[in-house]
Amino acid sequence: MTATVFSGAVAEAEPRPAAPAVATTTPAVTRPAAVEKEPVCLRLKGAEACVGPEGSDRPGITVEDTANDNFHPAVEYYLNGYLGTKYVIHNLGRGGEVRGNREIGRIVTFRAALYEGNHRVKFGRWKTVRDMTKYPLKRETRVTPAEARARSKTCTSTNGAATMCFGEQKTFVFVCDTGADKYQARAQYFLAGDPTARFEIHQLAGVNTCGKAEHGDLAVSMYRASVYNHNRRVATRLYKYN
């Protein structure tokens, strides 16, 4: 599969893992993957985020700009119930354009948001969908920074606290937190030379942990590693070109 490029001030509430299921005598019902035929969408004024199966008009995870204004929409999401790594796709195109990524997990928890520059001004509620893709990404939560470097073609670091590594041919991107501090590592990058969709990986799990994203056949074209204190950037370097 390939990555898809289709061309407040209120306290943030992060999603919580679902409570454990209580055993009952009712037999389990097995549901085949990708039974949904239409995308599941969430809307804000100016943004529409969707998760859909292959064959629909919005496969994978996408975000559409639905208003010609000074804001840009984004979709924020977690994969496979793991809250240690958050992904964000910023749609920097014009009104009516859609940006996204086909590479999703079996479980996707997502919401729509509106940004003014790098400042998030509005966001909606979280929603979780399951079994939307026939070939879901597996969860990787135990990759260390050393392993990420060994598996990658290119790496860059910022102040020894955030490392971003990636490889081509079925492109993957790692971002690793390498500093024992209160800050979080973040990767920010663009794919296939398209300046209208910025991808981000926020690594929230702590020191010596890495998050991973996959993007199919699209290569990373511009990238940087940054360090954040929540949503305030405290260290970064200029973008590098691949």
Side-chain angles (χ1 to χ4, degrees), residues 193-223:
D194 180 11
T196 64
R198 186 176 78 233
F199 296 81
E200 294 183 355
I201 310 173
H202 302 189
Q203 187 54 18
L204 310 174
V207 64
N208 289 328
T209 64
C210 299
K212 182 185 179 186
E214 296 186 20
H215 294 285
D217 295 328
L218 296 185
V220 174
S221 53
M222 193 166 67
Y223 61 95

Coordinates of all heavy atoms in Angstrom, one line a residue, residues 193-223:
G193 N 8.0 15.4 -2.0 CA 8.2 16.7 -2.4 C 6.9 17.6 -2.4 O 6.9 18.7 -2.9
D194 N 5.9 17.1 -1.7 CA 4.6 17.8 -1.5 C 4.7 18.7 -0.3 O 4.7 18.2 0.8 CB 3.5 16.8 -1.4 CG 2.1 17.5 -1.3 OD1 2.0 18.7 -1.5 OD2 1.1 16.8 -1.0
P195 N 4.6 20.1 -0.5 CA 4.7 21.0 0.6 C 3.4 21.2 1.3 O 3.3 22.0 2.3 CB 5.2 22.3 0.0 CG 4.6 22.2 -1.4 CD 4.6 20.8 -1.8
T196 N 2.3 20.6 0.9 CA 1.0 20.9 1.4 C 0.5 19.9 2.4 O -0.7 19.9 2.8 CB -0.1 21.0 0.2 OG1 -0.2 19.7 -0.4 CG2 0.4 22.0 -0.8
A197 N 1.3 18.9 2.8 CA 0.9 18.0 3.9 C 2.1 17.7 4.8 O 3.1 17.2 4.3 CB 0.4 16.7 3.3
R198 N 2.0 18.2 6.0 CA 3.1 17.9 7.0 C 2.7 16.8 7.9 O 1.6 16.8 8.5 CB 3.4 19.2 7.8 CG 4.6 19.0 8.7 CD 5.0 20.3 9.4 NE 4.1 20.5 10.6 CZ 3.5 21.7 10.8 NH1 3.6 22.7 9.9 NH2 2.7 21.8 11.8
F199 N 3.6 15.8 8.0 CA 3.4 14.7 8.9 C 4.2 14.9 10.2 O 5.3 15.4 10.2 CB 3.8 13.4 8.2 CG 2.9 13.1 7.0 CD1 3.2 13.7 5.8 CD2 1.9 12.2 7.1 CE1 2.4 13.4 4.7 CE2 1.1 11.9 6.0 CZ 1.4 12.5 4.8
E200 N 3.6 14.4 11.3 CA 4.3 14.5 12.6 C 4.1 13.2 13.4 O 3.1 12.6 13.3 CB 3.8 15.7 13.4 CG 4.0 17.1 12.8 CD 3.5 18.2 13.7 OE1 2.9 17.9 14.8 OE2 3.7 19.4 13.4
I201 N 5.2 12.9 14.1 CA 5.1 11.8 15.1 C 5.5 12.4 16.4 O 6.6 12.9 16.6 CB 6.0 10.6 14.8 CG1 5.9 10.2 13.3 CG2 5.8 9.5 15.7 CD1 6.9 9.1 12.9
H202 N 4.6 12.3 17.4 CA 4.9 12.8 18.8 C 5.2 11.6 19.7 O 4.3 10.7 19.9 CB 3.7 13.5 19.3 CG 3.3 14.7 18.5 ND1 2.3 15.6 19.0 CD2 3.6 15.1 17.3 CE1 2.1 16.5 18.0 NE2 2.9 16.2 17.0
Q203 N 6.4 11.5 20.2 CA 6.8 10.3 21.0 C 6.6 10.7 22.5 O 7.3 11.6 23.0 CB 8.2 9.9 20.8 CG 8.6 8.6 21.5 CD 7.7 7.4 21.2 OE1 6.9 7.5 20.2 NE2 7.7 6.4 22.1
L204 N 5.6 10.1 23.1 CA 5.1 10.5 24.5 C 5.5 9.5 25.5 O 5.3 9.8 26.7 CB 3.6 10.7 24.4 CG 3.0 11.5 23.3 CD1 1.5 11.5 23.3 CD2 3.5 13.0 23.4
A205 N 6.1 8.4 25.2 CA 6.3 7.3 26.1 C 7.5 7.5 27.0 O 7.7 6.8 28.0 CB 6.4 6.0 25.4
G206 N 8.5 8.4 26.7 CA 9.6 8.6 27.6 C 10.9 8.2 27.0 O 11.0 7.8 25.8
V207 N 12.0 8.4 27.8 CA 13.4 8.2 27.3 C 13.6 6.8 26.8 O 13.1 5.8 27.3 CB 14.3 8.5 28.5 CG1 14.2 7.6 29.6 CG2 15.8 8.6 28.0
N208 N 14.4 6.8 25.7 CA 14.8 5.5 25.0 C 13.6 4.8 24.4 O 13.7 3.6 24.3 CB 15.6 4.7 25.9 CG 17.0 5.2 26.2 OD1 17.6 5.9 25.3 ND2 17.5 5.0 27.4
T209 N 12.6 5.5 24.1 CA 11.4 4.9 23.3 C 11.3 5.5 22.0 O 11.7 6.7 21.7 CB 10.1 5.1 24.1 OG1 9.8 6.5 24.2 CG2 10.2 4.5 25.5
C210 N 10.8 4.7 21.0 CA 10.6 5.2 19.6 C 9.2 5.0 19.1 O 8.6 3.9 19.4 CB 11.6 4.5 18.7 SG 13.4 4.8 19.1
G211 N 8.7 5.9 18.3 CA 7.5 5.7 17.6 C 7.8 5.5 16.1 O 8.8 6.0 15.6
K212 N 6.9 4.8 15.4 CA 7.2 4.5 14.0 C 5.9 4.8 13.2 O 4.8 4.5 13.6 CB 7.5 3.0 13.9 CG 7.9 2.6 12.4 CD 8.1 1.1 12.3 CE 8.4 0.7 10.9 NZ 8.5 -0.8 10.8
A213 N 6.1 5.3 12.0 CA 5.1 5.5 11.0 C 5.6 4.9 9.7 O 6.8 4.8 9.4 CB 4.8 7.0 10.7
E214 N 4.6 4.4 8.8 CA 4.9 3.8 7.5 C 4.2 4.6 6.5 O 3.0 5.1 6.7 CB 4.5 2.4 7.5 CG 5.3 1.5 8.5 CD 5.1 0.0 8.4 OE1 4.6 -0.4 7.3 OE2 5.3 -0.7 9.4
H215 N 4.8 4.7 5.3 CA 4.2 5.5 4.2 C 4.4 4.9 2.8 O 4.4 5.6 1.8 CB 4.9 6.9 4.2 CG 4.6 7.7 5.4 ND1 3.4 8.3 5.6 CD2 5.4 8.0 6.5 CE1 3.4 9.0 6.8 NE2 4.6 8.8 7.4
G216 N 4.5 3.6 2.8 CA 4.4 2.9 1.5 C 5.6 3.3 0.6 O 6.7 3.4 1.0
D217 N 5.3 3.7 -0.7 CA 6.3 4.0 -1.7 C 6.7 5.4 -1.7 O 7.6 5.8 -2.5 CB 5.8 3.6 -3.1 CG 5.6 2.1 -3.2 OD1 6.3 1.3 -2.5 OD2 4.6 1.6 -3.9
L218 N 6.1 6.3 -0.9 CA 6.5 7.7 -0.9 C 7.7 8.0 0.0 O 7.7 7.6 1.1 CB 5.3 8.6 -0.5 CG 4.1 8.5 -1.4 CD1 3.0 9.5 -0.9 CD2 4.4 8.8 -2.8
A219 N 8.7 8.7 -0.6 CA 9.9 8.9 0.1 C 9.8 10.2 0.9 O 9.1 11.2 0.5 CB 11.1 9.0 -0.9
V220 N 10.6 10.3 2.0 CA 10.7 11.5 2.8 C 11.5 12.6 2.0 O 12.5 12.2 1.4 CB 11.4 11.3 4.1 CG1 11.6 12.6 4.9 CG2 10.5 10.3 5.0
S221 N 10.9 13.8 1.9 CA 11.6 14.8 1.1 C 12.2 15.9 1.9 O 13.2 16.5 1.5 CB 10.6 15.4 0.0 OG 9.5 15.8 0.7
M222 N 11.6 16.2 3.1 CA 12.2 17.3 3.9 C 11.8 16.8 5.4 O 10.7 16.4 5.6 CB 11.5 18.6 3.6 CG 12.2 19.8 4.2 SD 11.7 21.4 3.5 CE 10.0 21.5 4.0
Y223 N 12.7 17.1 6.3 CA 12.5 16.5 7.6 C 13.4 17.2 8.7 O 14.3 17.9 8.4 CB 13.0 15.0 7.7 CG 14.4 14.8 7.3 CD1 15.4 14.7 8.3 CD2 14.9 14.7 6.0 CE1 16.7 14.5 8.0 CE2 16.2 14.5 5.7 CZ 17.1 14.4 6.7 OH 18.5 14.2 6.4

